[in-house]
Amino acid sequence: MFKKLSPNIKSSITRSISQSFEDYMSDIGWAEDKYNIEQFYANWREYITTKALWYEKIPDEIKANPKFHEDLAKRVEEVLVRVLNDPPAEEQIAQIEILQEKLGTHYEYGCKAEALYVQNLLEAKAEQQKK
């Protein structure tokens, strides 16, 4: 069922999964012990039904089909694996290391999205120290 959707809708679905996952992980501070797949799905479900333009473009008969939901669950898993396996950029690593040395911190990060979270956190801390 998922394969029958237009490339634009499939791309929008993928982006919404990635964005929702990164937002959810940021909300919990990328703390693995706080991760709850049901909560992530609840957040994503709310996002797609209230903010995602692609959701309205999918016919109700497709949305009601269990095969569509099975395909969608597989897509969510693929996207999450891809996000978690996307390594941080060398520029990110360098910037984080500079900030950590300056601030005397030691945050760990395993993927590009988590590195972005850490970088933003450290930049905010550095900005607060300037005040």
Side-chain angles (χ1 to χ4, degrees), residues 17-130:
I17 296 165
S18 294
Q19 188 62 52
S20 293
F21 180 67
E22 290 174 29
D23 289 348
Y24 171 72
M25 292 304 291
S26 290
D27 288 346
I28 63 168
W30 280 83
E32 292 176 28
D33 60 326
K34 292 181 181 177
Y35 179 76
N36 180 307
I37 188 76
E38 288 85 15
Q39 185 60 53
F40 162 69
Y41 270 113
N43 289 5
W44 184 60
R45 214 173 296 121
E46 180 181 334
Y47 173 83
I48 65 172
T49 57
T50 61
K51 297 178 185 170
L53 300 175
W54 62 263
Y55 190 74
E56 295 174 5
K57 295 177 182 175
I58 297 176
D60 289 339
E61 60 271 7
I62 291 177
K63 288 189 256 186
N65 190 314
K67 177 68 174 135
F68 173 70
H69 291 278
E70 183 181 312
D71 291 350
L72 204 51
K74 286 178 187 174
R75 187 66 187 146
V76 169
E77 183 179 336
E78 291 168 359
V79 171
L80 298 187
V81 166
R82 191 180 74 226
V83 167
L84 293 171
N85 288 315
D86 188 14
E90 288 187 27
E91 291 175 19
Q92 278 182 302
I93 294 169
Q95 185 63 31
I96 289 169
E97 294 307 313
I98 290 167
L99 288 165
Q100 295 214 87
E101 190 170 315
K102 179 181 176 181
L103 297 168
T105 61
H106 181 73
Y107 290 95
E108 294 185 14
Y109 47 93
C111 65
K112 189 177 208 170
E114 186 177 15
L116 179 60
Y117 168 79
V118 169
Q119 185 175 356
N120 290 339
L121 183 72
L122 293 171
E123 287 172 351
K125 284 184 181 210
E127 193 62 36
Q128 282 182 337
Q129 280 190 353
K130 287 181 183 178

